[in-house]
Amino acid sequence: MKHSKFINTKKAKKWLQKKLGLTDEQVEITDGVIREFANGSAVYGIARADSISISNKAIEGVQYHEAWHRVSLLMLDKDTRSKLYDEFRKQNNQYSNLGNKQLEEVIADRFMDYMLNDKESTLRYYINKIF
């Protein structure tokens, strides 16, 4: 997953509002990095129970990554989410040893790739299966 184009924040905000029913206040656009860690990694988007924040320095597609978290972690019940994780592990053996938090990030990245490229046919299978 290599994306280098910066996000169009207006377009991203509009998509989040339309697809997730968020209000203007629930989609926050921040200037710069949202959170930095000691190891040098940084967060450019974050989904919260009441909002989604996106950095104006984020790569294109972060809105899809955060939307996945909002749906998966806040709207799917625990049983459905566990079934999704189990099925994903079965179909992607290289991730069989990952914990749920790490797997959630992998799936959110896959969803972002799917939305940007529509080439991830296996993700479409998982999405259709849980709904």
Side-chain angles (χ1 to χ4, degrees):
M1 175 187 73
K2 295 265 183 185
H3 306 286
S4 57
K5 183 178 171 188
F6 282 121
I7 193 166
N8 176 329
T9 55
K10 288 181 183 179
K11 186 177 170 184
K13 185 171 188 166
K14 186 176 179 177
W15 185 88
L16 288 166
Q17 290 171 320
K18 181 180 178 185
K19 297 298 183 182
L20 298 180
L22 300 174
T23 65
D24 191 54
E25 295 78 25
Q26 289 177 300
V27 181
E28 178 187 12
I29 304 301
T30 63
D31 186 24
V33 174
I34 293 174
R35 186 180 299 152
E36 287 188 76
F37 296 99
N39 68 3
S41 64
V43 173
Y44 293 93
I46 190 165
R48 297 183 185 92
D50 62 348
S51 64
I52 291 180
S53 295
I54 303 279
S55 166
N56 63 346
K57 303 295 185 205
I59 58 171
E60 182 61 40
V62 140
Q63 69 272 30
Y64 307 127
H65 179 102
E66 297 309 327
W68 175 265
H69 288 317
R70 186 164 177 93
V71 170
S72 174
L73 298 173
L74 298 175
M75 296 178 181
L76 296 181
D77 62 65
K78 187 177 179 179
D79 185 53
T80 302
R81 195 169 45 253
S82 290
K83 287 177 183 176
L84 171 71
Y85 292 160
D86 291 344
E87 184 64 29
F88 191 87
R89 283 185 183 103
K90 277 188 223 172
Q91 299 295 322
N92 298 275
N93 197 34
Q94 69 271 32
Y95 302 118
S96 62
N97 292 326
L98 287 185
N100 287 348
K101 280 188 175 187
Q102 294 92 350
L103 194 64
E104 174 70 20
E105 290 301 320
V106 169
I107 297 171
D109 283 345
R110 290 275 189 98
F111 181 68
M112 182 174 80
D113 285 344
Y114 166 76
M115 292 301 292
L116 290 171
N117 304 311
D118 195 17
K119 293 179 182 170
E120 180 55 65
S121 61
T122 55
L123 187 61
R124 184 181 325 202
Y125 165 79
Y126 302 124
I127 292 168
N128 287 335
K129 188 166 183 165
I130 63 171
F131 296 105

